[in-house]
Amino acid sequence: DVKVTQSSRYLVKRTGEKVFLECVQDMDHENMFWYRQDPGLGLRLIYFSYDVKMKEKGDIPEGYSVSREKKERFSLILESASTNQTSMYLCASSDTSGYTFGSGTRLTVV
Amino acid sequence: DQQVKQNSPSLSVQEGRISILNCDYTNSMFDYFLWYKKYPAEGPTFLISISSIKDKNEDGRFTVFLNKSAKHLSLHIVPSQPGDSAVYFCAASRLNYGGSQGNLIFGKGTKLSVKP
């Protein structure tokens, strides 16, 4: 069964911490994405990658960076976590057959 | 500027009745449209899609209608069941050369509650 795995379901971090959110897919997909979901705002694209070591900014990249050293892994980095980054973070990968999402990481920044 | 709009944040329907979720888009270059369903604490799951060459696509209880001239699509669920209670996201994209989807642009979602 096709899978996108996000390493943590729930995470609590302190303001100013550097936070790593990990995502691994086992489908050999070229494309990977990071979204955040907030009530009333839907899913907003943070960053995406079409290939290893390649990254593109989405709609809301400020305060985030990403790393794609291997095809199967796409990491989202919060350089200095802030309370307004408290959110549900969703990773996805895609190919011609469509998108597959991970289960999400609920991040709370205190 | 929102390219994909779901103007109803919530919808409540009685079990057995029809649920109609609406979505409008502004970018006429979109040629592929999808609906995703999301339960709390889970990732969105693909429900149904339609390409711009069609005006209707049906899969069991779920039917998506596309009106290109109005830049409007809708998802019909008949009959609605309590297990359908979830947030539904409309999404749109352009198909790339080779048929792969471009980036998905999501609406804000509509929370459907189906009451027994």
Side-chain angles (χ1 to χ4, degrees), chain A residues 46-63:
Chain A
I46 305 171
Y47 266 96
F48 61 99
S49 169
Y50 285 151
D51 202 351
V52 175
K53 296 196 186 290
M54 177 270 175
K55 59 186 178 184
E56 292 284 346
K57 292 180 180 178
D59 299 319
I60 50 164
E62 297 78 19

Side-chain angles (χ1 to χ4, degrees), chain A:
Chain A
D1 198 15
V2 167
K3 270 200 173 162
V4 175
T5 303
Q6 294 183 232
S7 54
S8 304
R9 292 299 299 271
Y10 300 94
L11 217 49
V12 180
K13 296 292 181 181
R14 294 191 180 279
T15 302
E17 274 193 78
K18 189 169 185 176
V19 181
F20 292 85
L21 302 183
E22 305 289 346
C23 176
V24 177
Q25 51 101 358
D26 63 1
M27 298 163 283
D28 202 35
H29 285 175
E30 302 284 344
N31 312 320
M32 296 189 74
F33 307 83
W34 274 105
Y35 291 86
R36 63 179 281 179
Q37 183 204 357
D38 301 288
L41 297 177
L43 275 69
R44 294 181 291 166
L45 181 63
I46 305 171
Y47 266 96
F48 61 99
S49 169
Y50 285 151
D51 202 351
V52 175
K53 296 196 186 290
M54 177 270 175
K55 59 186 178 184
E56 292 284 346
K57 292 180 180 178
D59 299 319
I60 50 164
E62 297 78 19
Y64 303 94
S65 63
V66 289
S67 171
R68 185 124 184 245
E69 295 297 318
K70 293 184 178 181
K71 190 175 186 181
E72 67 269 20
R73 186 180 296 270
F74 192 36
S75 304
L76 179 69
I77 304 154
L78 286 67
E79 298 291 343
S80 177
S82 63
T83 54
N84 63 13
Q85 292 178 309
T86 291
S87 185
M88 166 72 90
Y89 288 87
L90 293 158
C91 175
S93 69
S94 78
D95 66 355
T96 53
S97 63
Y99 279 55
T100 301
F101 282 86
S103 297
T105 297
R106 170 69 67 183
L107 172 67
T108 303
V109 182
V110 297

Side-chain angles (χ1 to χ4, degrees), chain B residues 32-53:
Chain B
Y32 195 64
F33 305 90
L34 309 92
W35 285 94
Y36 283 82
K37 178 179 179 179
K38 186 182 183 300
Y39 293 116
E42 293 184 15
T45 54
F46 170 75
L47 193 57
I48 193 169
S49 64
I50 189 168
S51 78
S52 59
I53 61 173

